[in-house]
Amino acid sequence: MDPRPPDETPGPGQQPKPPFDRERFIFKTLAVVIGTQLLIYSLAAGVCGQRALVGRPVGQICPGTLEQLQGGFDSTLKLLLALLGGAALTRMAPPS
C-alpha cells in the first residue's frame, strides 16, 4: 500500500487552485491599512474642524492627534514604497 496521499486532480468543471500570490496579499493588506488610516485621519480632521467652526476650544488634542496620525500614515507610505522598490529590483535581477 502506498503511504502517500492520492493526487488531488480537479474534477470535471473545476479549475485548478492558483498558487498563493504573496505580493498580491501584501499589497491588498496594505491597501486596507492605508484606507483605514485615511478614514481615521479624515474623521479626526473633520471633528477638529467642526469644533473650530462652532467656536469651541480645540485645545491640545487635535493638533497632537493629527500629527500622530500623519506620522503613522507617512511610515506606512514609506513601507509601501520600499516593498514596491524591492519587488521591482527582484524582477529586474538576472535569473540565478
Side-chain angles (χ1 to χ4, degrees), residues 17-26 29:
K17 189 174 182 181
F20 179 70
D21 190 359
R22 182 179 61 206
E23 287 179 0
R24 183 179 297 267
F25 173 75
I26 289 173
T29 304

Side-chain angles (χ1 to χ4, degrees), residues 14-89:
Q14 291 181 346
Q15 296 287 332
K17 189 174 182 181
F20 179 70
D21 190 359
R22 182 179 61 206
E23 287 179 0
R24 183 179 297 267
F25 173 75
I26 289 173
F27 289 136
K28 283 184 178 182
T29 304
L30 275 174
V32 169
V33 169
I34 290 172
T36 304
Q37 284 181 337
L38 282 174
L39 180 67
I40 292 171
Y41 186 80
S42 300
L43 181 66
V47 168
C48 289
Q50 183 182 15
R51 289 186 77 180
L53 286 176
V54 173
R56 290 193 215 159
V58 175
Q60 296 297 321
I61 293 175
C62 286
T65 302
L66 293 178
E67 287 175 10
Q68 190 174 18
L69 288 172
Q70 184 178 4
F73 185 68
D74 288 345
S75 65
T76 303
L77 286 178
K78 289 176 187 175
L79 173 65
L80 177 62
L81 287 175
L83 286 171
L84 287 172
L89 288 176

